[in-house]
C-alpha cells in the first residue's frame, strides 16, 4: 500500500523525487559529451550502438573487433547484475539505502576518471562509465510514480510522441492527465541536453578534468539522500522505490 503524507498525497522517497532525476540525467548528458569528445567518440550510457557494431564486425568477419565489443557490453551487463544483488544487503548492514550508496560510488568513480591521463587507452574510461551507467539505469526507475530513464534520452522522446498523440486524441475530452507525463518527459529531455551542452563547454576548457564538474550535482543528490536515510526515512528502510 502506498504511503501517504498528511495532505493525502503519496509519499515518495527522496530517491524517487523528480528533482533527483533531473540532476541525474544532467550528469548522463554530461557523460555523453565527455565520452564522445574525449574518450573515443562513443556514447557509453547505453549499449545499442555496441551491439550493432559487434554485429557489423561479425558480418564482416572481423572477429577480433567483434570480441572487443563484448567488453563494454559485459561491463553494462555486470552493472545491472551488481545493482540487482546489492540493495538488500546494503540497507540491512549500512545506515543508507543502495540508491544512496550508488551515488557515493559514482562520485568516487568520477574522481578516479579525472585522474586518468589523456594518453591512457580510451577503453578504460568507456568501460567504467558503462558499468556505472548501467547501475544507475537499473536503480533509478520511477520518478514520483512515472517510469523514467536517467541515462539516455530515447524513451523520453518516445513518451513525448505518445503524449502529443494523446493530446490530439483527447482534444475534446476533459481528461488531460496525459499532460503531466508529457511535461515530465519533456523536462527530462531538456535536462539531458543541458548536461550535454555544459559538458561540451567544460570538456573544451578542462579536457579530462572536466568530468569532475559532475561532482557538484552528484554531491547535492548524495547529501539529500543520505540525510533522508539518517533522519526522515530512517524507519522506512523496507519501503522499496517504485518499480522495484
Amino acid at each position: 500500500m502506498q504511503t501517504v503524507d498528511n495532505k493525502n498525497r503519496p509519499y515518495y522517497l527522496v530517491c524517487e523525487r523528480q528533482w533527483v532525476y533531473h540532476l541525474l540525467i544532467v550528469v548522463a548528458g554530461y557523460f555523453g559529451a565527455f565520452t564522445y569528445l574525449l574518450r573515443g567518440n562513443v556514447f557509453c550510457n547505453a549499449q545499442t550502438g555496441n551491439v550493432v557494431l559487434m554485429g557489423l564486425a561479425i558480418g564482416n568477419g572481423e572477429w577480433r573487433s567483434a570480441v572487443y565489443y563484448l567488453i563494454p557490453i559485459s561491463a553494462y551487463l555486470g552493472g545491472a547484475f551488481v545493482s540487482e544483488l546489492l540493495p538488500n544487503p546494503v540497507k540491512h548492514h549500512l545506515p543508507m539505502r543502495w540508491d544512496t550508496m550508488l551515488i557515493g560510488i559514482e562520485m568516487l568513480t568520477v574522481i578516479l576518471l579525472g585522474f586518468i591521463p589523456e594518453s591512457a587507452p580510451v577503453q578504460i574510461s568507456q568501460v567504467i562509465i558503462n558499468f556505472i551507467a548501467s547501475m544507475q539505469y537499473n536503480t533509478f526507475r520511477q520518478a514520483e510514480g512515472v517510469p523514467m530513464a536517467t541515462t539516455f534520452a530515447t524513451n523520453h522522446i518516445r513518451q513525448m510522441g505518445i503524449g502529443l498523440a494523446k493530446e490530439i486524441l483527447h482534444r475534446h475530452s476533459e481528461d488531460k492527465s496525459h499532460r503531466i507525463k508529457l511535461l515530465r518527459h519533456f523536462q527530462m529531455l531538456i535536462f539531458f541536453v543541458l548536461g550535454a551542452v555544459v559538458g561540451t563547454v567544460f570538456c573544451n576548457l578542462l579536457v579530462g578534468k572536466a568530468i569532475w564538474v559532475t561532482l557538484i550535482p552528484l554531491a547535492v543528490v548524495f547529501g539529500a539522500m543520505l540525510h533522508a536515510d539518517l533522519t526522515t526515512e530512517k524507519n522506512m528502510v523496507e519501503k522499496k522505490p517504485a518499480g522495484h
Side-chain angles (χ1 to χ4, degrees):
M1 185 174 180
Q2 178 70 59
T3 304
V4 296
D5 62 17
N6 56 11
K7 295 182 180 179
N8 295 320
R9 293 179 301 187
Y11 179 84
Y12 296 106
L13 299 168
V14 171
C15 61
E16 299 176 90
R17 305 287 171 83
Q18 189 68 39
W19 69 266
V20 168
Y21 278 63
H22 287 165
L23 290 183
L24 290 180
I25 203 165
V26 164
V27 172
Y30 197 107
F31 281 172
F34 178 81
T35 57
Y36 187 83
L37 293 174
L38 304 176
R39 297 296 182 264
N41 301 117
V42 298
F43 301 112
C44 295
N45 297 349
Q47 290 303 299
T48 303
N50 283 326
V51 173
V52 171
L53 290 171
M54 183 174 68
L56 291 173
I58 293 172
N60 289 323
E62 299 170 354
W63 307 112
R64 179 173 293 183
S65 295
V67 171
Y68 161 74
Y69 288 113
L70 288 175
I71 298 174
I73 292 171
S74 296
Y76 205 86
L77 185 153
F81 177 81
V82 170
S83 64
E84 198 68 22
L85 290 179
L86 289 183
N88 281 331
V90 168
K91 71 182 182 182
H92 290 146
H93 293 89
L94 296 175
M96 67 176 71
R97 291 177 173 274
W98 159 249
D99 315 66
T100 308
M101 183 177 178
L102 170 58
I103 301 302
I105 292 171
E106 195 162 340
M107 292 175 66
L108 293 175
T109 302
V110 164
I111 294 172
L112 172 63
L113 286 168
F115 282 114
I116 296 176
E118 300 304 307
S119 57
V122 295
Q123 290 83 0
I124 296 175
S125 297
Q126 291 174 6
V127 168
I128 292 173
I129 292 177
N130 283 325
F131 188 77
I132 61 173
S134 176
M135 289 197 294
Q136 182 177 306
Y137 176 44
N138 191 50
T139 299
F140 293 88
R141 301 182 184 181
Q142 288 193 22
E144 299 182 17
V146 179
M148 293 283 182
T150 61
T151 56
F152 52 85
T154 304
N155 183 58
H156 302 301
I157 296 172
R158 180 179 73 91
Q159 292 292 345
M160 285 174 60
I162 293 171
L164 291 172
K166 288 183 177 180
E167 187 69 22
I168 294 174
L169 294 172
H170 296 177
R171 64 187 182 279
H172 300 307
S173 170
E174 294 183 359
D175 180 13
K176 304 298 182 183
S177 58
H178 61 277
R179 290 182 177 176
I180 297 174
K181 291 181 64 175
L182 174 59
L183 177 60
R184 289 188 182 182
H185 286 290
F186 177 70
Q187 290 173 338
M188 292 291 280
L189 181 61
I190 292 300
F191 278 105
F192 186 84
V193 173
L194 175 63
V197 171
V198 175
T200 300
V201 172
F202 280 101
C203 284
N204 289 330
L205 290 174
L206 304 175
V207 197
K209 300 294 188 294
I211 195 70
W212 287 342
V213 174
T214 61
L215 288 171
I216 299 172
L218 288 173
V220 172
V221 172
F222 180 77
M225 290 171 56
L226 182 61
H227 179 266
D229 290 343
L230 299 177
T231 57
T232 57
E233 296 175 359
K234 184 176 182 180
N235 297 323
M236 303 173 67
V237 66
E238 294 302 328
K239 177 177 168 58
K240 290 185 178 181
H244 288 264

